[in-house]
């Protein structure tokens, strides 16, 4: 009986905490997202007069919004440990980031672990499924210039054309530096069986912890944002005419990011919102490739990209067996780094969001009273 009461008490506390967290996040969205939109509406004259400054300010506010999402997980004890290459020294250089995709929590994890990487978050572009356009954060992503891609054979060719046009129009004009995509094209649990059947049919590696990546978006990004050289690879020493005019070097790195969850249990967005899972450490492994080592021709790029995901498979298999990633080449032991967010900074951002929400509410209420 005592054990039953104890279990009921714990369940009651989890439910109460989940309700309180949801209420806080609902209010957080209600004040932060409208404030972001209204500030940018107010700054439209600046966009016409000095677009560089406008998008710099927008990027700072965008980073703050992503920090708020990060704080939801941080408060619940959901932290990140980083492995592999240290990407902070190249945070101001242009890079394409390829990530394995297991759940909606992958995006939240990236929002958290990239917060301490210089100006990366405020100057990055995301490629995400079109469904996210209709979420609470969809309007923010639309304004920021992220690209929403529709999956499926029926849309594939048109989407790649739209992606190239989007990159030409927004990537350089808004001073973007990093572009993040999930080449698998969907969640692991949804694509694994189809991927394995395709691999068997085409004598490709059998993968369990990742799926075979799709080439289209990666190919378009490399061709559009990098300078093609005679040997079929892409280089960073010279840019396209558009890049040269803007004194940009183009893509200089491909960063291969592998996300691993303890016991292969992915963290989804519902977990971040309600916080019902005990404190959990998500592990993120980075590996950097100079852009000159990346082929741009379709067949060679396919082989290169497949090899990256075979390596991801090996990394994840090692992690699930040992609870750590293998050491880098030349190292005897794998070194990890605990990613830390500053609680004071998070409190300041949250306070600014609620103060802004109150200010805009007062302004709009005053205007309404004056008009009506």
């Amino acid at each position: 009986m005592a054990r039953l009461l104890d279990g009921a008490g714990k369940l009651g506390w989890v439910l109460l905490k989940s309700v309180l967290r949801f209420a806080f996040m609902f209010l957080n969205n209600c004040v932060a997202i409208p404030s972001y939109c209204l500030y940018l509406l107010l700054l439209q004259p600046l966009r016409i007069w000095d677009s560089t400054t406008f998008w710099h300010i927008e990027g700072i506010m965008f980073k703050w919004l992503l920090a708020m999402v990060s704080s939801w997980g941080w408060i619940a004890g959901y932290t990140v440990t980083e492995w592999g290459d240290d990407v902070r020294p190249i945070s101001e250089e242009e890079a394409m980031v390829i990530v394995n995709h297991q759940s909606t929590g992958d995006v939240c994890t990236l929002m958290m672990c990239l917060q301490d990487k210089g100006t990366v978050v405020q100057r990055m572009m995301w490629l995400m499924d079109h469904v996210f356009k209709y979420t609470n954060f969809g309007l923010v992503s639309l304004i920021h210039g992220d690209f929403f891609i529709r999956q499926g054979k029926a849309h594939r060719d048109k989407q790649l054309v739209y992606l190239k046009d989007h990159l030409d129009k927004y990537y350089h004009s808004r001073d973007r530096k990093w572009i993040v995509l999930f080449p698998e094209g969907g969640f692991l649990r949804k694509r694994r069986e189809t991927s394995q059947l395709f691999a068997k049919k085409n004598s490709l590696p059998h993968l369990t912890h990742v799926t075979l990546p799709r080439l289209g978006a990666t190919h378009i990004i490399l061709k559009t944002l990098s300078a093609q050289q005679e040997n079929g690879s892409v280089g960073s020493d010279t840019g396209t005419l558009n890049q040269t005019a803007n004194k940009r070097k183009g893509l200089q790195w491909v960063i291969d990011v592998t996300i691993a969850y303890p016991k292969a249990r992915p963290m989804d967005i519902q977990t971040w919102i309600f916080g019902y899972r005990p404190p959990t450490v998500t592990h993120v492994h980075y590996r950097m490739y100079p852009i000159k080592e990346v082929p741009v021709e379709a067949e060679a790029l396919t082989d290169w990209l497949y090899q990256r995901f075979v390596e991801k498979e090996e990394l994840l298999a090692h992690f699930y067996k040992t609870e750590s990633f293998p050491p880098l080449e030349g190292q005897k032991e794998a070194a990890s780094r605990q990613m830390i967010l500053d609680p004071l900074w998070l409190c300041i951002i949250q306070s600014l969001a609620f103060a802004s929400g109150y200010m805009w509410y007062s302004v709009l209420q005053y205007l309404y009273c004056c008009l009506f």
Side-chain angles (χ1 to χ4, degrees):
M1 186 64 180
R3 187 175 299 178
L4 183 62
L5 289 173
D6 183 55
K10 288 181 180 179
L11 178 60
W13 166 242
V14 169
L15 291 174
L16 176 61
K17 185 173 66 172
S18 297
V19 170
L20 292 174
R21 283 176 59 86
F22 178 80
F24 172 76
M25 291 171 200
F26 179 78
L27 291 173
N28 204 179
N29 278 283
C30 287
V31 297
I33 293 176
S35 295
Y36 166 88
C37 297
L38 289 168
Y39 277 128
L40 293 183
L41 184 63
L42 187 67
L43 289 172
Q44 286 305 303
L46 177 63
R47 182 179 180 180
I48 298 171
W49 179 54
D50 186 353
S51 63
T52 301
T53 301
F54 173 86
W55 289 114
H56 177 73
I57 294 171
E58 184 277 335
I60 293 173
M61 291 192 291
F62 184 79
K63 180 177 181 178
W64 289 355
L65 287 176
L66 268 58
M68 291 177 198
V69 177
S70 303
S71 71
W72 302 345
W74 188 261
I75 293 169
Y78 304 146
T79 58
V80 172
T81 293
E82 299 179 316
W83 303 76
D85 294 328
D86 185 358
V87 300
R88 285 173 294 185
I90 65 163
S91 61
E92 301 306 312
E93 300 178 21
E94 292 191 41
M96 178 177 69
V97 183
I98 56 176
V99 193
N100 63 312
H101 208 10
Q102 302 177 67
S103 72
T104 50
D106 298 339
V107 175
C108 300
T109 297
L110 287 173
M111 288 179 178
M112 176 183 285
C113 65
L114 295 179
Q115 283 292 325
D116 67 342
K117 308 297 187 295
T119 61
V120 163
V121 175
Q122 66 194 62
R123 302 172 74 183
M124 75 193 316
M125 179 181 286
W126 296 76
L127 266 66
M128 60 188 78
D129 192 279
H130 78 286
V131 173
F132 285 98
K133 186 189 297 186
Y134 308 106
T135 65
N136 61 319
F137 215 76
L139 180 59
V140 173
S141 291
L142 277 171
I143 295 172
H144 184 69
D146 297 329
F147 183 77
F148 298 94
I149 191 165
R150 296 182 70 92
Q151 304 293 342
K153 291 182 180 180
H155 308 285
R156 191 169 299 162
D157 293 338
K158 282 187 178 180
Q159 289 300 300
L160 295 179
V161 173
Y162 295 154
L163 173 58
K164 187 182 186 311
D165 291 343
H166 187 88
L167 293 173
D168 288 336
K169 187 174 182 180
Y170 298 116
Y171 188 82
H172 295 301
S173 66
R174 299 187 181 185
D175 195 25
R176 299 296 175 241
K177 288 287 186 181
W178 284 26
I179 183 165
V180 181
L181 69 154
F182 301 91
E184 290 167 291
F187 298 141
L188 173 64
R189 67 180 186 276
K190 294 182 177 181
R191 291 205 62 242
R192 178 160 39 201
E193 185 177 350
T194 304
S195 175
Q196 290 174 346
L197 289 172
F198 177 82
K200 184 177 181 180
K201 183 178 179 181
N202 294 275
S203 301
L204 294 169
H206 179 87
L207 305 177
T208 302
H209 306 302
V210 293
T211 65
L212 289 170
R214 292 170 176 172
L215 178 69
T218 306
H219 193 207
I220 291 295
I221 291 168
L222 286 172
K223 290 189 71 174
T224 306
L225 302 182
S226 302
Q228 187 171 353
Q229 297 182 336
E230 293 180 0
N231 60 3
S233 64
V234 289
S236 59
D237 293 333
T238 58
T240 62
L241 292 176
N242 185 42
Q243 292 168 335
T244 304
N246 290 280
K247 299 182 179 179
R248 301 178 68 113
K249 295 181 179 180
L251 289 178
Q252 296 166 277
W253 300 91
V254 172
I255 302 174
D256 186 6
V257 177
T258 304
I259 299 176
Y261 298 95
K263 299 180 181 179
R265 291 181 57 213
M267 188 94 67
D268 53 30
I269 188 64
Q270 295 95 320
T271 307
W272 276 67
I273 292 173
F274 294 106
Y276 48 78
R277 185 181 292 189
T280 304
V281 179
T282 302
H283 298 260
V284 180
H285 184 278
Y286 303 95
R287 187 167 182 188
M288 305 186 306
Y289 295 91
I291 199 69
K292 62 184 179 181
E293 296 180 5
V294 183
V296 74
E297 294 303 324
E299 186 175 347
L301 179 60
T302 300
D303 293 339
W304 186 88
L305 199 57
Y306 279 177
Q307 185 57 39
R308 300 291 73 76
F309 276 77
V310 170
E311 290 174 1
K312 284 180 181 292
E313 175 79 10
E314 294 169 353
L315 285 172
L316 290 168
H318 187 281
F319 177 84
Y320 295 140
K321 185 178 180 180
T322 65
E323 297 187 350
S324 68
F325 284 109
L328 295 173
E329 187 176 348
Q331 292 182 347
K332 293 183 179 179
E333 255 182 57
S336 62
R337 306 173 296 276
Q338 186 70 28
M339 190 269 159
I340 301 295
L341 291 177
D342 184 355
L344 178 60
W345 179 61
L346 294 177
C347 287
I348 291 172
I349 289 174
Q350 293 286 9
S351 299
L352 285 173
F354 283 98
S356 295
Y358 178 76
M359 180 196 75
W360 283 113
Y361 173 78
S362 301
V363 169
L364 294 175
Q365 186 183 46
Y366 174 77
L367 291 176
Y368 179 84
C369 292
C370 289
L371 292 173
F372 302 102

